[in-house]
């Protein structure tokens, strides 16, 4: 090869190499993540159990990440409004959401949502399980869950069961009980815990399904409510004599609320893995675990694949329920 041709070849090769290097991401010069505060969207109103637990999580998470974790409440439509805000956020790991899995696994089966529940989000880490408590109010004169079902069979439509709204976890429990027991129980949906609890105490309906909380436990201890069953993996410490719905023969109704952290789709894998590790580290803290159990929640945790699997299983169960009897949710 002549000297002139060698020079031309070297110039062309050098230009191609420079172009390729410009096309590569400048990983070594990229700002470390996170370089600014992390926004944590809580898809429920302030002051509730979910909001409180998100704030318990945010403080140690901020310490481990080295930046503030700012809570932003975006309630509405059972969590769908907040999850829509997450779906529209930049996928840089600086916007996350704390939510139950129902906006991904149930709401889209019942109504149109403004996001793709299977493609718009990345499950980062499960955080906690909130057991469901089924209680009899002063209007229920029987004793135990078996007598509740017997009454519903004797008096179709006359037993009233209140929940915090359509497509909530309490409603899922009721729907599964109605399907399995083949009973006609009237659903009384509410839009919040305060009015629901007041009406329960005054006997406006016979049965209430709600999250386990200190106030409800006080009413049970005082004899104003009768604890009939819990939805949980096992009996809960606060009510050791109360059976789970699975023990009572209602395996599919034995539901609890699974909450976790989500990120927008296309968030870098390395960021998701770092977040998962940090959240699991926070959940392993004795202080955080004590706070969770003090609010009658069960710590969760695990890998991103574990969380994604639980979401997929819940979606399948809900799809089977809705397809089997869509009228349960009308």
């Amino acid at each position: 090869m002549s000297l002139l041709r060698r020079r031309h070849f070297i110039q062309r090769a050098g230009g191609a190499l420079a172009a390729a290097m410009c096309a590569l991401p400048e990983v070594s010069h990229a700002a470390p993540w996170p370089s600014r505060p992390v926004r944590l969207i809580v898809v429920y109103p302030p002051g509730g159990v979910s909001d409180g637990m998100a704030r318990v999580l945010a403080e140690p998470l901020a310490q481990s990440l080295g930046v503030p974790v700012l809570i932003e409440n975006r309630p509405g439509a059972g969590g769908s409004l907040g999850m829509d805000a997450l779906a529209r956020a930049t996928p840089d790991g600086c916007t996350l959401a704390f939510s139950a899995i129902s906006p991904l696994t149930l709401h889209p089966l019942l109504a149109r949502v403004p996001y793709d529940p299977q493609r718009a989000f990345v499950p980062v880490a499960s955080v906690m399980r909130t057991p469901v408590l089924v209680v009899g109010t002063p209007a229920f004169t029987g004793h135990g869950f078996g007598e509740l079902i017997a009454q519903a069979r004797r008096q179709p439509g006359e037993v009233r069961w209140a929940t915090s709204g359509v497509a909530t976890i309490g409603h899922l429990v009721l729907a599964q009980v109605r399907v399995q027991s083949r009973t006609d129980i009237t659903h009384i949906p509410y839009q919040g815990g305060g009015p629901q609890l007041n009406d329960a105490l005054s006997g406006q309906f016979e049965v209430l399904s709600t999250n386990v909380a200190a106030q409800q436990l006080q009413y049970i201890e005082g004899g104003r409510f009768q604890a009939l069953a819990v939805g949980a993996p096992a009996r809960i410490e606060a009510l050791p004599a109360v059976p789970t719905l699975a023990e009572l023969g209602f395996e599919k109704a034995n539901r609890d609320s699974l909450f976790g952290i989500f990120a927008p789709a296309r968030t870098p894998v390395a960021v998701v893995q770092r977040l998962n590790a940090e959240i699991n580290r926070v959940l392993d803290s004795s202080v955080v675990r004590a706070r969770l159990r003090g609010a009658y929640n069960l710590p969760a945790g695990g890998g991103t694949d574990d969380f994604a699997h639980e979401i997929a299983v819940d979606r399948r169960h809900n799809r089977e329920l809705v397809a089997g009897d869509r009228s349960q949710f009308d």
Side-chain angles (χ1 to χ4, degrees):
M1 182 182 294
S2 68
L3 178 61
L4 181 62
R5 291 182 62 188
R6 282 201 302 271
R7 286 177 178 174
H8 182 64
F9 175 80
I10 293 170
Q11 287 174 348
R12 289 184 61 188
L17 178 61
M21 290 179 67
C22 289
L24 291 173
E26 298 183 18
V27 177
S28 60
H29 299 289
W33 178 89
S35 58
R36 57 188 174 87
V38 172
R39 178 170 62 127
L40 180 58
I41 298 171
V42 177
V43 305
Y44 307 104
V49 174
S50 303
D51 177 66
M53 289 302 102
R55 294 175 190 276
V56 167
L57 186 70
E59 183 177 347
L61 189 58
Q63 293 176 357
S64 63
L65 293 178
V67 296
V69 176
L70 308 178
I71 299 292
E72 178 183 326
N73 295 93
R74 296 288 293 269
S80 295
L81 292 185
M83 293 304 286
D84 182 46
L86 179 68
R88 298 172 186 272
T90 303
D92 59 1
C94 290
T95 303
L96 309 170
F98 181 77
S99 175
I101 65 176
S102 53
L104 278 65
T105 64
L106 180 61
H107 300 171
L109 301 177
L110 303 175
R112 182 183 297 274
V113 293
Y115 49 81
D116 186 328
Q118 299 189 57
R119 298 180 181 177
F121 311 106
V122 176
V124 176
S126 59
V127 172
M128 68 181 190
R129 293 184 179 277
T130 300
V132 174
L133 175 62
V134 181
V135 300
T137 76
F140 176 59
T141 57
H143 297 281
F145 197 83
E147 290 192 17
L148 167 67
I149 299 302
Q151 181 180 342
R153 286 174 175 152
R154 289 195 310 269
Q155 303 170 323
E158 293 189 23
V159 173
R160 299 159 295 179
W161 184 318
T163 75
S164 56
V166 173
T168 60
I169 189 67
H171 188 195
L172 273 179
V173 170
L174 166 59
Q176 291 284 14
V177 167
R178 287 195 298 197
V179 167
Q180 186 171 342
S181 64
R182 299 181 181 179
T183 54
D184 179 10
I185 300 174
T186 299
H187 181 212
I188 309 295
Y190 279 76
Q191 295 299 320
Q196 177 193 50
L197 196 57
N198 290 334
D199 285 356
L201 291 168
S202 62
Q204 297 298 309
F205 44 80
E206 285 73 24
V207 186
L208 168 66
S209 53
T210 181
N211 290 337
V212 179
Q215 194 170 23
Q216 285 86 329
L217 294 175
Q218 289 174 0
Y219 291 137
I220 292 171
E221 185 177 351
R224 303 186 70 180
F225 286 162
Q226 178 189 165
L228 302 175
V230 293
R235 296 191 185 197
I236 62 175
E237 294 179 9
L239 297 168
V242 179
T244 67
L245 284 157
E247 290 180 87
L248 294 167
F250 291 86
E251 180 69 39
K252 290 186 177 180
N254 192 46
R255 310 290 290 269
D256 55 20
S257 294
L258 179 61
F259 291 80
I261 300 290
F262 297 87
R266 299 181 301 282
T267 298
V269 173
V271 171
V272 173
Q273 291 175 341
R274 166 87 187 279
L275 279 166
N276 177 269
E278 296 294 353
I279 292 167
N280 276 286
R281 188 175 295 112
V282 169
L283 290 174
D284 282 339
S285 160
S286 59
V287 174
V288 171
R289 295 180 80 84
R291 292 286 297 274
L292 285 168
R293 290 198 170 98
Y296 308 103
N297 296 300
L298 307 174
T304 55
D305 290 344
D306 299 324
F307 192 22
H309 175 72
E310 293 208 60
I311 292 170
V313 169
D314 194 72
R315 181 184 291 114
R316 184 176 72 250
H317 289 167
N318 293 340
R319 186 182 292 115
E320 292 171 355
L321 176 61
V322 172
D325 190 352
R326 179 62 175 76
S327 65
Q328 293 284 345
F329 298 94
D330 292 338

